[in-house]
Amino acid sequence: MREESTWIESSIRFCLRTFRGKELRVSPDLRQVDVLMHLAQKGLGPFLRGLIVRPFLGRSRGAFFLGRGSKILSKNKLRVGKNVYIGAYGYIDCLSIDGVTLGDNVTIRENCWLQLTSRYENPGVSITIGNDVYIGPRAVLGAAAPVVIGDRCQFGANVSLVAENHKFEGSEEIFDQGVSRKGIEIGKDVWIGNNVTVLDGVTVGDGAVIGAGTVVTKSVPPRAVVVGVPGRVIKVR
């Protein structure tokens, strides 16, 4: 029985190390066989779909996992590093000037929406995501202007980054005024909670924490903790 347990544990560690770039031990509160089955259920289908898609990507340096029902437009504009996971039913439209770049060990969970270009005469620029980044379910990344996310960031569910704003000055109809674009930059090791919206022109410093439900309208200093609508700094870590 112990030999079987050791074999299962070795299999789990091999899968995580090889395909997700992680060294991880299983909690004694979980049966190892249940964890192994869960890994197979969660990862086998996405891994096979990723194998089919990989030859059409702009670049792929390792295992690529693509969830059921996810759609990627302009695949040649998507560059991925090692062990990238995109959850089920995502929509990723990479048509843009510089495309989408995902670093190593990036996870983008279910029902994500990434779009860079909505009008051909005014294309979007780019999304660049660093290494070891986790983005929770139902993320919205609207990247008309450049969006940059640093290494080791963690996003909760329903986070929106909106790198564009509609003009609305004067008497001319808003529909005819067009948009302004500045870009969004998220530093390294930033934690962004559930239901956060980050607006165009914002820079979030390294190590900052953005509390759940916050609307970030102006730039955030490094290691600051920001909450509220609009977001305000309540302390510095």
Side-chain angles (χ1 to χ4, degrees):
M1 192 70 169
R2 176 58 189 164
E3 290 182 3
E4 179 182 357
S5 176
T6 302
W7 177 83
I8 294 173
E9 182 179 6
S10 298
S11 299
I12 293 170
R13 295 181 67 183
F14 172 81
C15 290
L16 291 171
R17 184 173 59 251
T18 303
F19 298 114
R20 299 299 290 139
K22 298 177 181 179
E23 285 286 350
L24 195 66
R25 293 187 179 275
V26 177
S27 167
D29 296 324
L30 295 174
R31 292 198 315 159
Q32 292 178 353
V33 66
D34 291 339
V35 174
L36 187 60
M37 289 296 297
H38 185 262
L39 284 172
Q41 292 169 344
K42 185 177 181 180
L44 183 58
F47 177 71
L48 295 175
R49 279 186 288 273
L51 283 178
I52 296 171
V53 169
R54 276 187 65 187
F56 303 98
L57 301 180
R59 186 189 72 213
S60 177
R61 299 197 298 113
F64 178 58
F65 298 81
L66 185 64
R68 179 193 301 272
S70 283
K71 187 171 187 177
I72 302 175
L73 303 184
S74 297
K75 296 179 181 67
N76 64 307
K77 289 282 191 176
L78 176 60
R79 299 175 292 274
V80 302
K82 300 176 183 177
N83 310 321
V84 170
Y85 183 95
I86 295 173
Y89 303 107
Y91 178 84
I92 301 177
D93 186 347
C94 302
L95 180 65
S96 58
I97 296 171
D98 293 327
V100 176
T101 302
L102 308 180
D104 296 342
N105 307 317
V106 170
T107 295
I108 303 177
R109 292 291 301 276
E110 295 75 22
N111 299 106
C112 67
W113 184 89
L114 280 69
Q115 181 165 313
L116 294 87
T117 296
S118 56
R119 302 182 67 134
Y120 296 134
E121 71 271 19
N122 192 16
V125 181
S126 63
I127 295 175
T128 304
I129 298 178
N131 300 323
D132 303 304
V133 171
Y134 174 90
I135 297 178
R138 299 177 298 280
V140 173
L141 303 184
V147 168
V148 178
I149 299 171
D151 295 344
R152 300 176 66 83
C153 287
Q154 302 175 81
F155 290 13
N158 302 307
V159 171
S160 296
L161 273 56
V162 186
E164 183 177 82
N165 194 20
H166 285 273
K167 299 177 181 178
F168 52 87
E169 302 299 330
S171 60
E172 186 180 4
E173 291 189 359
I174 296 172
F175 188 90
D176 296 323
Q177 291 192 39
V179 297
S180 63
R181 297 173 173 178
K182 298 177 181 178
I184 293 172
E185 183 172 353
I186 310 295
K188 297 178 181 179
D189 191 37
V190 172
W191 163 238
I192 296 181
N194 289 358
N195 302 303
V196 168
T197 299
V198 180
L199 299 184
D200 192 29
V202 164
T203 295
V204 178
D206 295 349
V209 175
I210 313 297
T214 298
V215 178
V216 185
T217 60
K218 59 184 180 181
S219 293
V220 175
R223 299 184 65 83
V225 178
V226 176
V227 299
V229 181
R232 66 189 188 281
V233 177
I234 59 170
K235 66 177 182 179
V236 175
R237 300 193 300 117

